[in-house]
Amino acid sequence: MAEFMTETEQRSPVVPHPGTAGERRGRTGDADAGPLEGQEAAALLERTRAVVDPELRAALEALPGSMRRIALYHFGWQHEDGTAATGRAGKAIRPALVLAAAAALGGPAARTAAVRAAVAVELVHNFTLLHDDVMDRDTSRRHRPTAWTVFGDTDAILAGDALQALALRLLAEDPHPASGPAAARLADCVLELCAGQHTDTDLERRAPDDVTLDEVLAMAEAKTGALLGCACALGALYAGAGQEEVAALDGFGRQAGLAFQLIDDVIGIWGDPRRTGKPAGADLAARKKSLPVVAALSTGTEAAAELAEMYAKPYISGDAESIARTALAVERAGGRDWAQAEAADRMARAVQELSRAIPAPEAADGLLALAEFVTRRSS
């Protein structure tokens, strides 16, 4: 919305990246590399959707009728009344990471073998979205009402539970030799996700000056980095990789996931609702202690004190001017600049982890393109 946009807020949440895929192939200059990298990632995501969506829909059809209807609505494939819809089921970043990691370490055959694991990761991701929307009381996702607003809290939670169970069943039924270790790793990841979400809700109950940046970074790794790391690790497992390579791929995904969360938090404050599908400043209205906010609060500046005072008071619904003032205070206190710099640093760490598992630059291009894509986005 126009009233939320200041001159500085019109900047894209793009962060610079060391050792990008384009540079590794000899391209020079961001003006050339950026669009090409974006095209590469977009092509990877389209290829992922082409192979994952049919398997994903087939898996959803196995759900009990009531759960199936909610899940298909959540994925954008049905309307509320059960008629067919043509929505897209998200960007498919996590399943794309599974397939890209498998291909990087094991070639096309490993990528094909890992499709079921990619579907399982996407199911777990959407289990967390269904639950997060209920807990956060978010009313829109992917440009339509969230499942809980349509079907109620109970049904949305149960549908999320069903997706998690379905993910683990897919791996349990997979004859691939990596399916057992993959299922165990995915289950461990779900436990970490739940612990991260619990920490998140606990932090929201605490006073703004009682939350440290280290706590929020650890929570973000558990909530976001863990699943991206798990996705990469599952791809490595299906490629037959050794423990060191699997651990390095997990580290790559976790660091890229933190960069992803940092940019996601920037978008949560300054993103354009027409692109994000969410109300402008929704995180600020909910008084979420996101990474840019906590970084800003920790600076001890006059703007930080002003922000703390704002956060101590509940948001009055419809007060767009208040949201604009709060966003400006975060920016003046350095929260936005810190988040973008930290995202760049996390991407540098991700590249280091990736080089441990995949020394040949060209083999890592798909993973790098995806990591760059999620931190060069505006929605």
Side-chain angles (χ1 to χ4, degrees):
M1 295 184 179
E3 66 267 24
F4 288 22
M5 300 293 286
T6 67
E7 181 179 353
T8 52
E9 286 169 350
Q10 295 181 40
R11 299 193 310 245
S12 169
V14 166
V15 297
H17 297 294
T20 65
E23 290 162 352
R24 287 167 175 262
R25 284 194 298 272
R27 295 200 304 263
T28 58
D30 286 345
D32 292 332
L36 288 173
E37 289 158 2
Q39 291 170 14
E40 183 178 352
L44 280 169
L45 293 171
E46 284 298 321
R47 290 199 298 271
T48 297
R49 274 284 166 225
V51 297
V52 166
D53 278 2
E55 296 293 331
L56 179 59
R57 294 194 71 150
L60 295 178
E61 290 297 333
L63 290 172
S66 56
M67 297 297 96
R68 181 170 64 248
R69 179 183 175 191
I70 299 165
L72 288 171
Y73 172 85
H74 168 76
F75 278 99
W77 292 328
Q78 279 190 4
H79 294 296
E80 178 182 351
D81 61 5
T83 57
T86 58
R88 291 180 62 85
K91 295 183 176 70
I93 291 165
R94 290 154 190 83
L97 286 171
V98 176
L99 300 184
L105 289 168
R111 182 181 188 275
T112 300
V115 169
R116 186 172 292 192
V119 173
V121 168
E122 185 73 339
L123 286 168
V124 165
H125 172 53
N126 281 275
F127 137 68
T128 68
L129 296 183
L130 281 162
H131 284 201
D132 281 357
D133 286 343
V134 173
M135 287 183 276
D136 296 341
R137 311 313 286 171
D138 285 337
T139 57
S140 63
R141 180 174 294 281
R142 298 167 184 160
H143 304 278
R144 67 199 313 228
T146 46
W148 73 266
T149 66
V150 176
F151 301 100
D153 290 2
T154 300
D155 285 356
I157 291 169
L158 289 172
D161 293 341
L163 294 187
Q164 180 194 168
L166 186 58
L168 294 175
R169 190 177 79 181
L170 278 178
L171 291 177
E173 294 176 345
D174 189 352
H176 194 282
S179 62
R185 197 171 193 105
L186 188 59
D188 285 342
C189 179
V190 170
L191 293 174
E192 189 174 355
L193 291 170
C194 291
Q197 180 62 34
H198 181 269
T199 301
D200 190 17
T201 56
D202 177 63
L203 293 177
E204 294 307 315
R205 289 192 291 264
R206 287 159 55 183
D209 59 358
D210 188 37
V211 175
T212 69
L213 196 52
D214 285 344
E215 286 181 302
V216 184
L217 281 167
M219 178 271 293
E221 179 176 349
K223 277 193 64 177
T224 304
L227 189 54
L228 269 70
C230 182
C232 296
L234 261 59
L237 285 171
Y238 271 73
Q243 290 185 0
E244 289 187 7
E245 292 169 313
V246 173
L249 263 293
D250 181 89
F252 163 76
R254 283 176 179 269
Q255 293 299 329
L258 274 171
F260 175 97
Q261 187 60 56
L262 284 153
I263 297 305
D264 197 62
D265 284 353
V266 169
I267 292 169
I269 298 174
W270 294 282
D272 183 347
R274 292 168 297 184
R275 295 181 63 87
T276 66
K278 292 186 176 184
D283 286 357
L284 298 178
R287 298 303 191 239
K288 285 187 69 67
K289 298 177 183 70
S290 63
L291 284 159
V293 168
V294 176
L297 288 169
S298 68
T299 60
T301 60
E302 182 179 335
E306 180 184 348
L307 177 62
E309 184 178 347
M310 293 176 181
Y311 254 55
K313 301 174 183 177
Y315 168 68
I316 300 173
S317 180
D319 189 354
E321 184 180 349
S322 170
I323 293 295
R325 287 199 309 272
T326 308
L328 184 59
V330 176
E331 185 153 11
R332 286 175 48 230
R336 183 172 186 165
D337 288 342
W338 174 87
Q340 294 199 347
E342 184 70 12
D345 179 65
R346 295 293 175 169
M347 272 301 301
R349 298 188 199 185
V351 170
Q352 289 176 347
E353 291 286 352
L354 188 60
S355 66
R356 289 173 48 210
I358 310 172
E362 63 277 3
D365 274 354
L367 288 165
L368 281 170
L370 290 169
E372 290 159 3
F373 173 80
V374 300
T375 50
R376 291 179 182 268
R377 62 199 170 85
S378 58
S379 65

